[in-house]
Amino acid sequence: SSQNYLIGFCDRLFETNFASKISSNYVCPMNRFDEWLKEQSKSNAPSDAYLNNCDGALSVPVSYETFDPCMIAWTKVVNETYVLEEKGEVKVMQIRSLSSVVFDSPFSDLRTDWNAYEDWLENERGTAPVGVNGVYSSSIEYWWFDTNGQMLKTAYGAAAIALVCAAVVVFISSRS
């Protein structure tokens, strides 16, 4: 199921050589949600959020009908800002990680890291269940890499245009 897939996502991500936890005690949102469900289901005094929204769920996976209201209630109880919802439906779950490169790393290192990350994500999209197969990466390091790459291409293009124009001017002015 999608929920079980998401439970294992962070473990798979942090096993790579291009991403690591932001701190030693970081727990991904889906895994924190699962821990909360287990705690609430065993509690003698579960929270109102759990009682009113989770239909007695013991852990992930939660029934399809219960998942969105239960997870949204959990985000409000624990102030989880990395799960985004719209109109009562969970839309985005952000996984925070540290990259093995920083924005001022050599361009070749940024390219290698970005390609490894994108290849891994492409593989994940291919194996993920429908509904959670739209995984993507967003990072200041990769924005920097992309921006610099585009500026470099533009500079090469501008240099080529300038050389062609200069050659045409020389050709015409020399009457050759």
Side-chain angles (χ1 to χ4, degrees), residues 30-43:
M30 191 67 174
N31 301 74
R32 285 186 59 212
F33 174 62
D34 188 45
E35 290 171 4
W36 180 78
L37 286 172
K38 290 173 183 174
E39 290 169 6
Q40 293 296 306
S41 67
K42 293 176 184 174
S43 174

Side-chain angles (χ1 to χ4, degrees), residues 1 28 82 93 97 122 154:
S1 86
C28 292
Y82 295 107
M93 191 175 303
S97 67
E122 185 63 33
T154 301

Side-chain angles (χ1 to χ4, degrees), residues 150-172:
Q150 295 304 320
M151 289 189 316
L152 186 61
K153 287 179 185 176
T154 301
Y156 286 150
I161 291 169
L163 287 173
V164 168
C165 289
V168 168
V169 168
V170 168
F171 179 74
I172 292 173

Side-chain angles (χ1 to χ4, degrees), residues 55 82 98 137 147:
D55 196 29
Y82 295 107
L98 290 175
S137 171
T147 299

Side-chain angles (χ1 to χ4, degrees), residues 135-154:
V135 62
Y136 63 93
S137 171
S138 175
S139 166
I140 189 81
E141 290 84 10
Y142 302 140
W143 289 340
W144 181 257
F145 164 71
D146 183 58
T147 299
N148 277 339
Q150 295 304 320
M151 289 189 316
L152 186 61
K153 287 179 185 176
T154 301

